[in-house]
Amino acid sequence: MKQRMAIVLVFALALMGALSAPITAMSASLTVEVPYIKPVKHTLRLAHGLPPGSPYDLGSRRFAELVKEYTRGEVEVKVFPAAQLGTEQVTTKMAQLGTLDLSLQAVNNTTMWYRPMDIYIMPFIFRNREHVDKVLFGPVGQKLEKEFIKAGGIRVVSWFEWGDRAIFNKVRPINKPDDLKGIKIRVPKNPVMVDTYNTLGANATAIDWGELYSALQQGLADGLEGPPQGMIDMKFYDFLKYYSYISVFYGLADLIMNENVFQKLSAENRSAILAAGKEAGAYQRWISTVSHVDGLQKLTKLGVSVNKVENRQAFVDAVKPVWAKYRKKLGDEWFDAIVNTK
């Protein structure tokens, strides 16, 4: 009897061992570390001045997602929209000083560190968006970006767009330059833009973006210039009723990063940020372009009188003095390089 009990016990123990082996192996497989996913090592702050859900914001959040993906979680980007950290000029300066990692703004707010970048905001300098891309990502754009880093200690990591900057006002539709006479048009604090609208016959008024809504309400300006969706996002249709689609300026926006912060990252993460910037920029420029078409229809539904100026030649001719002035300031080579880019 004892011998039989011993045999049964040995058999039971062997069976338990056989059954437990795959369970142990399975448990081990569930606790294997995944080295591909890395812990957060760097948290970067990105600021912009437009509301959540705007093309600026959608592009910024796509950039943040791609940075996380391409760095395998090691770099995290936190987006602060709606001027939470300050106006565009403030956050641009913060990025330059290194108190902010990334700032997104219209390019006219960054040209102060390298004036040849003003070439991008000359009136009617670009033929179309295909021309923009060939300039930005060709020899002209690459040279400007390298010099920009040297001059300001900040680099462009992505190109977004504010878009076709058309005229929104409360006085009358604009179909020809003479229609601008006497109208107070708000423009950014940039000499090219101020000179352009003064030359067209308007009274150019430089007002910070953050102060613009109240300035329009108080009558300090009769209107402004900007893309359709941007006007909708800021609800300027509440008191401006004429939108004239002329596109005097094509509004580029640059996502800049402090160069010291950029260089402190690993080579792998620097490459990841630039790749994320390229992809997010293409995405943002696309949704912004689509929003222009949709925006014109939305403005009409909101009660705005929309007119599209098909022949802009009278405006092009009127700003020739501005071109002559800035050819001397910026240099003929920049104008010729962009005009001749095919």
Side-chain angles (χ1 to χ4, degrees):
M1 175 67 81
K2 289 181 179 180
Q3 184 176 5
R4 185 179 299 171
M5 287 289 292
I7 292 172
V8 170
L9 181 60
V10 169
F11 177 78
L13 290 172
L15 180 60
M16 289 175 63
L19 290 173
S20 66
I23 295 175
T24 303
M26 184 180 295
S27 299
S29 69
L30 292 176
T31 58
V32 169
E33 292 185 1
V34 184
Y36 188 82
I37 300 174
K38 299 181 178 180
V40 177
K41 189 174 182 180
H42 305 282
T43 299
L44 307 177
R45 294 183 303 156
L46 187 165
H48 69 79
L50 292 184
S54 64
Y56 264 28
D57 191 57
L58 295 175
S60 297
R61 295 187 186 282
R62 174 63 68 90
F63 174 75
E65 292 170 358
L66 292 171
V67 167
K68 182 177 181 180
E69 177 184 347
Y70 294 163
T71 64
R72 294 179 283 170
E74 194 167 71
V75 180
E76 178 182 56
V77 176
K78 292 188 176 180
V79 178
F80 295 84
Q84 291 180 49
L85 303 185
T87 63
E88 287 191 358
Q89 289 192 339
V90 169
T91 59
T92 300
K93 185 64 177 176
M94 289 170 64
Q96 195 265 339
L97 292 173
T99 55
L100 178 67
D101 307 300
L102 294 144
S103 177
L104 170 63
Q105 56 285 308
V107 71
N108 49 270
N109 285 319
T110 57
T111 62
M112 67 184 79
W113 286 288
Y114 186 55
R115 278 301 174 189
M117 292 278 272
D118 272 339
I119 193 68
Y120 284 155
I121 53 174
M122 289 301 300
F124 308 110
I125 190 74
F126 294 113
R127 295 187 294 274
N128 48 45
R129 280 173 169 77
E130 288 76 14
H131 185 209
V132 172
D133 286 350
K134 289 178 180 178
V135 170
L136 282 182
F137 306 115
V140 177
Q142 297 308 300
K143 184 176 180 180
L144 280 168
E145 286 187 32
K146 288 178 182 178
E147 295 300 320
F148 184 62
I149 295 171
K150 294 177 185 177
I154 43 182
R155 73 162 52 226
V156 178
V157 296
S158 186
W159 284 106
F160 286 21
E161 71 158 42
W162 180 225
D164 296 335
R165 304 181 73 130
I167 301 169
F168 206 8
N169 82 97
K170 65 181 181 182
V171 181
R172 55 180 168 265
I174 308 302
N175 288 290
K176 56 187 183 300
D178 282 349
D179 292 333
L180 280 165
K181 286 184 177 178
I183 296 179
K184 294 178 289 185
I185 294 291
R186 176 270 176 186
V187 294
K189 293 179 179 179
N190 178 277
V192 174
M193 305 180 88
V194 171
D195 286 344
T196 297
Y197 272 96
N198 282 336
T199 301
L200 286 170
N203 296 327
T205 304
I207 301 173
D208 283 331
W209 182 259
E211 301 168 358
L212 179 54
Y213 194 90
S214 60
L216 290 167
Q217 284 181 313
Q218 295 165 16
L220 299 177
D222 298 319
L224 73 157
E225 42 77 63
Q229 188 60 47
M231 304 303 94
I232 294 168
D233 291 337
M234 299 303 293
K235 298 185 178 180
F236 292 138
Y237 54 82
D238 285 343
F239 37 85
L240 301 178
K241 296 303 177 185
Y242 301 102
Y243 189 77
S244 302
Y245 199 69
I246 302 169
S247 188
V248 177
F249 303 109
Y250 170 74
L252 279 168
D254 49 0
L255 178 58
I256 59 170
M257 183 172 184
N258 180 273
E259 181 66 3
N260 288 332
V261 172
F262 181 78
Q263 292 298 337
K264 286 179 182 178
L265 299 174
S266 67
E268 180 183 7
N269 286 341
R270 291 198 300 270
S271 296
I273 283 176
L274 295 178
K278 183 177 181 180
E279 188 171 335
Y283 165 77
Q284 192 277 340
R285 295 194 305 277
W286 162 248
I287 60 173
S288 176
T289 302
V290 172
S291 78
H292 280 47
V293 178
D294 295 342
L296 291 175
Q297 297 173 351
K298 291 176 183 176
L299 283 171
T300 300
K301 291 179 180 178
L302 289 166
V304 175
S305 175
V306 176
N307 67 292
K308 188 173 183 180
V309 179
E310 299 290 352
N311 187 349
R312 304 182 302 172
Q313 192 58 47
F315 291 89
V316 173
D317 291 341
V319 299
K320 285 180 179 178
V322 179
W323 273 55
K325 177 178 179 178
Y326 285 92
R327 272 186 175 275
K328 293 179 181 178
K329 284 180 173 288
L330 305 180
D332 287 336
E333 66 274 14
W334 293 115
F335 284 83
D336 294 340
I338 289 182
V339 170
N340 294 326
T341 297
K342 305 298 181 184

